[in-house]
Amino acid sequence: NAGVTQTPKFRVLKTGQSMTLLCAQDMNHEYMYWYRQDPGMGLRLIHYSVGEGTTAKGEVPDGYNVSRLKKQNFLLGLESAAPSQTSVYFCASSYFGYEQYFGPGTRLTVT
Amino acid sequence: AQSVTQLDSHVSVSEGTPVLLRCNYSSSYSPSLFWYVQHPNKGLQLLLKYTSAATLVKGINGFEAEFKKSETSFHLTKPSAHMSDAAEYFCVVSPPEGTGTASKLTFGTGTRLQVTL
């Protein structure tokens, strides 16, 4: 099992550009999550999904959109990147409301 | 509502000496509590979790934590530090596991553990 994988690992964007981060899990988990990690702030929940075709807002959803078209994939989109979105993004998945398993992260820089 | 406070942003210990990383929580219910470790440029790995069973929880790599309801604390300890323990550690609180609330985790701000020779 690969667990939770994230694509890409690194990305540099210019302000106003768009991009999509891909998260994939092979554990047949129902729930998936996107977090961002900023220095001194721990991880903060952006959006999450409790099943295929469902999404919900987390703590810091503004400027991001998500889609869960397939159970194993959870996409995070930035329509118009801003420097404030420079961060490390982590995806996680869990079997319903149980322990979350994290991916290795995507380091995004917006210039 | 829930929150978590990690009392030290940085802890430095010598190799072979005990480790204590402090965490206090606030919760309006009986929470689940977790400690995660993050090595440089890596993802988060679960060290241990408390889910209302035994109050003393043993995790991987010799770490353990004790849930103290009266003190609202969940401190992480290890009897003898190793160089490989140098990392960032996060204390995390959530609603009880399996309650259907999507396990919304609330992270502490992290404690960076430095281990010196």
Side-chain angles (χ1 to χ4, degrees), chain A residues 31 33 35 37 40-43 48 50 90 97-100 102-104 107, chain B residues 36 38 41-44 46 49 90 97-98 100 102-105 107-109:
Chain A
Y31 291 9
Y33 315 79
Y35 294 89
Q37 182 181 30
M41 301 188 73
L43 273 71
Y48 65 98
V50 297
F90 287 98
Y98 292 89
E99 174 188 334
Q100 294 187 19
F102 286 82
R107 189 173 296 274
Chain B
Y36 282 87
Q38 183 181 30
N41 300 313
K42 300 290 186 184
L44 279 77
L46 181 68
K49 63 179 179 180
F90 293 95
E97 278 197 328
S103 279
K104 294 182 182 179
L105 305 184
F107 283 77
T109 53

Coordinates of all heavy atoms in Angstrom, one line a residue, chain A residues 31 33 35 37 40-43 48 50 90 97-100 102-104 107, chain B residues 36 38 41-44 46 49 90 97-98 100 102-105 107-109:
Chain A
Y31 N -13.3 9.3 4.5 CA -13.1 10.8 4.7 C -11.7 11.2 4.2 O -10.7 10.5 4.3 CB -13.1 11.0 6.2 CG -14.4 10.9 6.9 CD1 -15.6 10.4 6.3 CD2 -14.6 11.3 8.2 CE1 -16.8 10.3 6.9 CE2 -15.8 11.2 8.9 CZ -16.9 10.7 8.3 OH -18.1 10.5 8.9
Y33 N -9.2 15.0 3.7 CA -9.0 16.3 4.2 C -7.8 17.0 3.5 O -6.9 16.4 3.1 CB -8.6 16.3 5.7 CG -9.4 15.3 6.6 CD1 -9.2 13.9 6.6 CD2 -10.4 15.8 7.4 CE1 -9.9 13.1 7.3 CE2 -11.2 14.9 8.2 CZ -10.9 13.5 8.1 OH -11.6 12.7 8.9
Y35 N -5.2 20.2 4.5 CA -4.7 21.2 5.5 C -3.6 22.0 4.9 O -3.0 21.7 3.9 CB -4.1 20.4 6.7 CG -5.0 19.6 7.5 CD1 -5.2 18.2 7.2 CD2 -5.6 20.1 8.7 CE1 -6.0 17.4 8.0 CE2 -6.4 19.3 9.4 CZ -6.6 18.0 9.1 OH -7.4 17.2 9.9
Q37 N -0.1 24.2 6.4 CA 0.8 24.3 7.5 C 1.6 25.6 7.3 O 2.4 25.7 6.3 CB 1.7 23.1 7.7 CG 2.6 23.2 8.9 CD 3.5 22.0 9.1 OE1 3.9 21.4 8.1 NE2 3.8 21.7 10.3
G40 N 4.6 28.3 13.0 CA 4.1 28.7 14.2 C 2.6 28.6 14.4 O 2.0 29.1 15.3
M41 N 1.9 28.0 13.4 CA 0.4 27.9 13.4 C -0.1 26.5 13.4 O -1.3 26.3 13.3 CB -0.2 28.7 12.3 CG 0.2 30.2 12.3 SD -0.7 31.2 11.1 CE -2.3 31.2 11.9
G42 N 0.7 25.5 13.4 CA 0.2 24.1 13.3 C -0.5 23.9 12.0 O -0.2 24.6 11.0
L43 N -1.3 22.9 11.9 CA -2.1 22.7 10.7 C -3.5 23.2 10.8 O -4.1 23.1 11.8 CB -2.1 21.2 10.4 CG -1.0 20.6 9.6 CD1 0.3 20.5 10.4 CD2 -1.3 19.2 9.1
Y48 N -12.8 19.5 3.6 CA -12.8 18.0 3.8 C -14.0 17.4 3.1 O -14.9 18.1 2.6 CB -12.8 17.7 5.3 CG -14.1 18.1 6.0 CD1 -15.1 17.2 6.3 CD2 -14.3 19.4 6.5 CE1 -16.3 17.6 6.9 CE2 -15.4 19.8 7.2 CZ -16.4 18.9 7.4 OH -17.6 19.2 8.1
V50 N -16.6 13.8 3.3 CA -17.0 12.6 4.0 C -17.5 11.5 3.1 O -18.0 10.5 3.6 CB -18.1 13.0 5.1 CG1 -17.6 13.9 6.1 CG2 -19.4 13.5 4.4
F90 N -1.0 19.6 3.2 CA -1.1 18.2 3.5 C -2.5 17.7 3.3 O -3.5 18.3 3.6 CB -0.7 18.0 5.0 CG 0.7 18.2 5.3 CD1 1.2 19.4 5.8 CD2 1.6 17.1 5.0 CE1 2.6 19.5 6.1 CE2 3.0 17.3 5.3 CZ 3.5 18.5 5.8
G97 N -14.7 8.5 11.1 CA -14.2 9.5 12.0 C -13.0 9.0 12.8 O -12.9 9.5 14.0
Y98 N -12.2 8.1 12.3 CA -11.1 7.6 13.1 C -9.8 8.2 12.7 O -9.7 9.3 12.0 CB -11.1 6.1 12.9 CG -12.3 5.4 13.6 CD1 -13.4 5.2 12.9 CD2 -12.2 5.0 14.9 CE1 -14.5 4.6 13.5 CE2 -13.3 4.5 15.5 CZ -14.5 4.3 14.8 OH -15.6 3.7 15.4
E99 N -8.7 7.6 13.1 CA -7.4 8.2 12.9 C -7.1 8.6 11.5 O -7.4 7.9 10.5 CB -6.4 7.1 13.3 CG -4.9 7.4 13.1 CD -4.1 6.2 13.3 OE1 -4.5 5.3 14.1 OE2 -3.0 6.1 12.7
Q100 N -6.4 9.8 11.4 CA -6.1 10.3 10.1 C -4.7 9.9 9.7 O -3.8 10.0 10.5 CB -6.3 11.8 10.1 CG -7.7 12.3 10.3 CD -7.9 13.8 10.1 OE1 -7.1 14.5 9.5 NE2 -9.0 14.3 10.6
F102 N -1.6 10.9 7.0 CA -1.2 12.0 6.3 C -0.3 11.7 5.1 O 0.5 10.7 5.2 CB -0.5 13.0 7.2 CG -1.4 13.8 8.1 CD1 -1.8 13.2 9.3 CD2 -1.8 15.0 7.8 CE1 -2.7 13.8 10.1 CE2 -2.7 15.7 8.6 CZ -3.1 15.1 9.8
G103 N -0.4 12.5 4.0 CA 0.5 12.4 2.9 C 1.8 13.2 3.2 O 1.9 13.8 4.3
P104 N 2.8 13.1 2.3 CA 4.1 13.8 2.5 C 4.1 15.3 2.4 O 5.1 15.9 2.7 CB 5.0 13.1 1.5 CG 4.0 12.7 0.4 CD 2.7 12.4 1.0
R107 N 4.9 21.5 -1.1 CA 5.4 22.9 -0.8 C 5.1 23.8 -1.9 O 5.6 23.6 -3.0 CB 6.9 22.8 -0.5 CG 7.5 24.1 0.1 CD 8.9 23.9 0.5 NE 9.0 22.9 1.6 CZ 8.9 23.2 2.9 NH1 8.7 24.4 3.2 NH2 9.1 22.2 3.8
Chain B
Y36 N 1.5 13.7 17.2 CA 2.1 13.5 15.9 C 3.5 14.0 15.8 O 3.8 15.0 16.5 CB 1.3 14.2 14.7 CG 0.0 13.5 14.3 CD1 -1.2 13.8 15.0 CD2 0.0 12.6 13.3 CE1 -2.4 13.2 14.6 CE2 -1.2 12.0 12.8 CZ -2.4 12.3 13.5 OH -3.5 11.7 13.1
Q38 N 6.7 15.2 13.2 CA 7.1 15.6 11.8 C 8.6 15.8 11.8 O 9.1 16.8 12.3 CB 6.3 16.9 11.4 CG 6.6 17.3 10.0 CD 5.8 18.5 9.6 OE1 5.6 19.4 10.4 NE2 5.5 18.6 8.3
N41 N 11.0 18.3 6.5 CA 10.5 18.1 5.2 C 9.8 16.8 5.0 O 9.8 16.2 3.9 CB 11.7 18.2 4.2 CG 12.4 19.5 4.3 OD1 11.7 20.6 4.2 ND2 13.7 19.5 4.4
K42 N 9.1 16.3 6.0 CA 8.4 15.0 5.9 C 6.9 15.3 6.3 O 6.6 16.4 6.8 CB 9.0 14.0 6.9 CG 10.4 13.6 6.5 CD 10.5 12.8 5.3 CE 12.0 12.4 5.0 NZ 12.1 11.7 3.7
G43 N 6.1 14.3 6.1 CA 4.7 14.4 6.5 C 4.6 14.1 8.0 O 5.6 13.9 8.7
L44 N 3.4 14.0 8.5 CA 3.1 13.8 9.9 C 2.9 12.3 10.2 O 2.2 11.6 9.4 CB 1.9 14.5 10.4 CG 2.1 16.0 10.7 CD1 2.1 16.8 9.4 CD2 0.9 16.5 11.6
L46 N 1.8 9.4 13.2 CA 1.1 9.3 14.5 C 2.1 8.6 15.4 O 2.6 7.5 15.2 CB -0.2 8.5 14.3 CG -1.0 8.3 15.6 CD1 -1.5 9.6 16.1 CD2 -2.1 7.3 15.4
K49 N -2.1 7.7 20.5 CA -3.5 8.3 20.6 C -4.2 7.9 21.9 O -4.0 6.7 22.3 CB -4.3 8.0 19.4 CG -4.6 6.6 19.2 CD -5.5 6.4 18.0 CE -5.8 4.9 17.7 NZ -6.7 4.7 16.5
F90 N 3.5 17.6 17.4 CA 2.2 18.3 17.5 C 1.2 17.5 18.4 O 1.0 16.3 18.2 CB 1.6 18.4 16.1 CG 2.3 19.3 15.2 CD1 3.3 18.8 14.3 CD2 2.1 20.7 15.2 CE1 4.0 19.7 13.5 CE2 2.8 21.6 14.4 CZ 3.7 21.1 13.5
E97 N -13.5 9.6 18.7 CA -13.4 8.8 17.4 C -14.7 8.2 17.1 O -15.4 7.7 18.0 CB -12.3 7.8 17.5 CG -10.9 8.3 17.3 CD -9.9 7.2 17.0 OE1 -10.1 6.1 17.5 OE2 -9.0 7.4 16.2
G98 N -15.0 8.2 15.8 CA -16.2 7.4 15.4 C -17.5 8.1 15.7 O -18.6 7.5 15.6
G100 N -18.8 10.5 14.0 CA -19.4 11.0 12.8 C -19.2 12.5 12.6 O -19.9 13.1 11.8
A102 N -16.4 13.9 11.4 CA -15.3 14.0 10.5 C -14.0 14.2 11.2 O -13.0 14.7 10.6 CB -15.5 15.1 9.5
S103 N -14.0 13.8 12.5 CA -12.7 13.9 13.3 C -12.0 15.3 13.0 O -10.9 15.2 12.7 CB -11.8 12.8 13.0 OG -12.2 11.7 13.8
K104 N -12.7 16.3 13.2 CA -12.1 17.6 13.0 C -11.0 17.8 14.0 O -11.2 18.1 15.2 CB -13.1 18.7 13.1 CG -14.1 18.7 11.9 CD -15.1 19.8 12.0 CE -16.2 19.6 10.9 NZ -17.2 20.7 11.0
L105 N -9.8 17.7 13.5 CA -8.6 17.8 14.4 C -8.3 19.3 14.7 O -8.3 20.1 13.7 CB -7.4 17.2 13.8 CG -7.5 15.7 13.3 CD1 -6.2 15.2 12.8 CD2 -8.0 14.9 14.5
F107 N -5.0 21.3 15.9 CA -3.6 21.2 16.2 C -3.0 22.2 17.1 O -3.4 23.4 17.0 CB -2.8 21.3 14.8 CG -2.9 20.0 14.0 CD1 -4.1 19.8 13.3 CD2 -1.9 19.1 13.9 CE1 -4.2 18.6 12.5 CE2 -1.9 18.0 13.1 CZ -3.1 17.7 12.4
G108 N -2.1 21.8 17.9 CA -1.3 22.8 18.6 C -0.3 23.4 17.7 O -0.2 23.0 16.5
T109 N 0.4 24.4 18.2 CA 1.4 25.1 17.3 C 2.7 24.4 17.2 O 3.6 24.9 16.4 CB 1.6 26.5 17.8 OG1 1.9 26.5 19.2 CG2 0.3 27.4 17.7

